[in-house]
Amino acid sequence: MTTPYPKLVAALTHMHDAWVVGSAADPGNESIRDWDILVPFSKWNEAAQLIPADAKLNTFGGWKIKLLDGTEIDVWPGELGQVMQNARAIWCWHPRTNSRLCKQ
């Protein structure tokens, strides 16, 4: 599977029903430096097995992963409804279905 995003993001979104949230989910953003990935609680136990051993705890109760090319991926368990209540979360994207949500 060839994707325009990191392999870990592809695995989490396609195999574990995760959502990309924040600026990386904005279709107009052409310079993505970091990825924020929300994994549903029902898939977290399986998805967490993909987290590298050198990942650091993040402020969301999940993990911050730094790839060799400098790209950062934050992965945490949660529900989309909670994220959409956050004023800073404007975009959400589900790559497996190519569904996007945007708060106006």
Side-chain angles (χ1 to χ4, degrees), residues 11 16 21-22 24 27 33 36 55 69-70 72 74 88 91 99 103:
H16 301 289
V21 299
R33 294 174 321 195
D36 295 315
D69 67 0
E72 290 185 359
D74 278 305
R88 292 177 48 205
W91 286 98
S99 299
K103 292 193 309 191

Side-chain angles (χ1 to χ4, degrees), residues 33-34 65-73:
R33 294 174 321 195
D34 67 322
I65 299 135
K66 191 160 195 171
L67 303 179
L68 294 176
D69 67 0
T71 302
E72 290 185 359
I73 302 172

Side-chain angles (χ1 to χ4, degrees), residues 33-99:
R33 294 174 321 195
D34 67 322
W35 295 83
D36 295 315
I37 308 298
L38 175 73
V39 178
F41 285 118
S42 63
K43 302 287 188 173
W44 180 247
N45 286 340
E46 296 170 13
Q49 294 178 35
L50 299 176
I51 307 299
D54 62 346
K56 308 288 184 211
L57 286 175
N58 70 18
T59 57
F60 302 114
W63 301 97
K64 180 178 289 295
I65 299 135
K66 191 160 195 171
L67 303 179
L68 294 176
D69 67 0
T71 302
E72 290 185 359
I73 302 172
D74 278 305
V75 182
W76 72 96
E79 297 303 330
L80 189 59
Q82 291 175 314
V83 169
M84 291 304 288
Q85 292 175 36
N86 183 323
R88 292 177 48 205
I90 297 173
W91 286 98
C92 296
W93 173 39
H94 192 252
R96 185 173 57 77
T97 60
N98 200 28
S99 299

